[in-house]
Amino acid sequence: MRSRLTPFLVAALSALLMLIVILIMLENKTSKTEKQLAGSTRLFVDETVKAVLIGYFHRDCILKSIEEGDIESVSHNLEYLMEDNAPLSGVRVVIDGTPFIELGDIITHNDTVAVKGDMPYTIFYDEGFLLAATAISDGRGAQNADDSYALIAIKLSSIIDLLTDERYVLSEKANTKIYGSLGIRLARDINMGNAFSLVFAFVISYLFMVFIQTKTEKGFVVAKNREQAFLLNSMPSMIWCLKDSRTFGMVNSQFARFFGKRPEEIENHVIEDVLPSSEVESCIESNEEVIRSKAPVSFKQSSTNHTGEKRTIAITKIPVTSESGEVDSIICTAEDVTDKEVVESRLRLIQFALDNVNEEAFWISKEGDILYVNKATCKALGYSQDELVGMKVHDVDPTEFAKNRDLNWEQVKKSRQDVIETFHRRKDGTIFPVEVNRNYLIYEGQEYEFSFARDISERRSAQNRLEREKRRIERLHETALAMERCREKREVFELIIQASRSILDFDICFVAIVENDHFSIKISSNLSPEDPMTMPLNVGIVGKTYREKKSFVLEDIQESEQAFRTNNEYHGGLSVPVGNIGVFQAMSMEKNAFTDEDVKLAELLMLHASEAIKRIETEQEMAYMSLHDRLTGLYNRVYFEEEIQRLNYSRLYPISIISADIDGLKLINDTMGHSTGDDLLRSFAEILKANMRSSDVVSRFGGDEFAAILVSTDRPTAERVIERIRKAVARYNESRSGPFLSFSMGVATSNNGESSLLDCLKLADDLMYRDKLSRSNSVRSQMVNTLLLTLAEKDHISGGHASRLQEMAIKLGKRMGLNSDQLVDLSLCAQVHDLGKVGIPDRILFKPGKLTEEEWGIMKLHPEKGYRIAVSSPDLSTVADLILRHHERWDGKGYPLGLERTEIPIECRILSIVDAYDAMTNDRPYCKARSHSEALKEIERCAGTQFDPKIVEEFLKMLQESPRLQGSVPSENS
């Protein structure tokens, strides 16, 4: 029985042992496979999460869309994320603790997720879901907010299905853990029925064991291949294999995506089918170089992606050699470094700018060690960069403040940013002021001070200059205010010297004022007795300053040809005009002593001075004019009356008062113009002053009235003074051919003050008027005769115009039946009808061309002027009306009254015809003489318009009967 059972027992034991062995091997294999599968799954999940989270939630565009609340843009990107990543089952974006958007499967996890540590993401298992979370940031990793993150749900089964075909169970009870409490358990396919079959197969147990081993290894290789493929496609770099220099082998998805293709569209295709034509040749050449050299090569090139964008790619090509040493294939990796190069370029630019900025730059540790300096620092301090790096701050800044680093550091840390002024010491020991802009920074967890320093030596100098300029301007302002209070020019001159000492640096200065034809030095700072006190106007830089009315600066007076040198001590010179009255000059023993700022300040000082002097002169002139007559310069009535009041109680008796009046001044003003009358007034005033003492008060009392107070003068003496004046006036009239100067005078004397001086003045006036009345007719006649003589002198241009008119007018008057009185008036009017022309300026009267409208208006005033003269003379008063009307016309268009026809006196109508005839037949300044016949034709033509036609008819008959009366120019028939 035992022998029968032995084979059975042995076989059973063998089968049992075999079964045990198989079960142990299967368990080992399965456990190993589970671990490998769990590891691959974790790696796959990690790479997927890294690619997804970093690639999608660490981008500027996603962050910007989320910050702007652009759900549509975020949704679009997340949909693309879900489509492109099959293992993902759902995604949620949480902003500030509140869900912003959610796609795919609903994620039940509601607790806040915190992403901490060096990893930008975290993966965890919760309530049946494998979840991954990451903070949302821009491309540089700056986190948006503490409670903002992205949460994705991962379908772990879809990943495991890619890694194995075996049946499995995901359970928290499984021993092989993948994430947290979640584990995986592969199914055991060997059952008890198989154990019975081992009884029949135990003889081939070895083969069975080999079969099991082979199957185990095969499963491992498949899983390994899938794992490698997953890892290859999960890497962010582009990876591809070349079978030879032209043919692609395996490529990863990143490489295919760059060209907008799928991996299978590239694998086993030639380079020409994939790359742009412009890149094919260079690619083949680099491949052949790797094959030829059997060594890796690395390079950068510009490649065009599927969107047509040029990208910078860093490529490495590694040859794979066989046992024989030949290159079987080429493994290539590439990375898009476009953005990286842009960042690096910006960093290089920043570093370049920092190195080359003009200001000193320091990177300083908390302890005060200098860690970095730029070129400007080295240049400013005289050290090399190696010498400065490692030095302490107080080695450069010698102040006590810099030595107390703890206090210094606490101050900059507290303020975060501040600006201080301190000093830096150069390598040669010299010290200069600087302004330091200090900044407190934290970099990679370490505290630093980053500072810029600027040399402010020039600014300090400028500030000092500004302070000095401020003081100078303030002094100038004080001087200007003081000058406004000055009442005498001397006070202004003294202020000029005082202010100049404050605003200018000089050794000597003076103010030279023009008096007559030379400069007179009115004041100086310290002129020596040897220095001249007067200078010619046309000599030296002082004269040039006055003539050209501008300032001059001399670098060296001794070398200037324009300078007026009185000694060899002074070199620098400044010359500034004082308005229109003089020059201010300052001199220094130093060359180039005066600057443009000195010139401006000196000019401003002289401007204030000239304004003050003008004001003083104006005030003095106003004071003078308040007591003097503007026209004659004599005292006015106000002053005269004040003197009478003052002298009433004086001890200067006897006092005589003279009253004088110019005769016929109104007539002269009316006929010859007010300028002629003003000349007479000034001439009479000069005669009065010349014949009286300086102590006498001579005044113009009114329009043509004068008065004088002669103190300590009795009546006989006053009479002698009047006699001197009369003789002086007589000499004046004899010496000139102008209007006759005639005056009336009266004198009264108060011997002891018993009668007031006002009464004395009244008596002098009465005596003066008595004198005027006694001589009025003779004076008036004398003045009229003077005017007639003046007219006769002007009549020489027409060769006896008045006498010819007189002869023809009398004959024509007789023919017209005028009585004897009319003939007498006509004869006199013919002689004096143009008397008013004595008041017409010669420039108009003798003008050779046509008169302007203004000049003609003046010319037409002569009938009125003649009328006023004639009315004032008893001898001419009878013809005054004829003189006024002798330019009236028959048609009423004459002047000045516009009379017509018989309204015009017959004497005037006769005179207008003979006057016109004589004017046309004799040369005048404005035209040549016409012939007798031409003149008659013109008169005949104007009959009925300008002339009385009946008188014209009689005039023509008269000339035919009396050829002797015809004009001086020959007729055309003679």
Side-chain angles (χ1 to χ4, degrees), residues 544-609:
K544 185 176 181 180
T545 302
Y546 177 73
R547 291 191 304 274
E548 299 185 12
K549 298 295 184 293
K550 66 179 184 180
S551 303
F552 291 94
V553 174
L554 296 181
E555 296 179 359
D556 190 347
I557 295 173
Q558 304 302 325
E559 296 179 0
S560 174
E561 297 178 356
Q562 299 175 337
F564 178 64
R565 292 179 290 276
T566 59
N567 57 56
N568 58 2
E569 293 182 0
Y570 302 115
H571 294 276
L574 170 62
S575 188
V576 180
V578 183
N580 295 319
I581 64 171
V583 175
F584 166 82
Q585 189 171 67
M587 293 177 288
S588 172
M589 294 182 181
E590 301 293 331
K591 296 181 180 180
N592 299 316
F594 301 103
T595 65
D596 291 341
E597 290 298 321
D598 293 334
V599 175
K600 292 178 182 178
L601 290 173
E603 287 177 341
L604 191 56
L605 175 61
M606 296 311 122
L607 176 62
H608 289 306

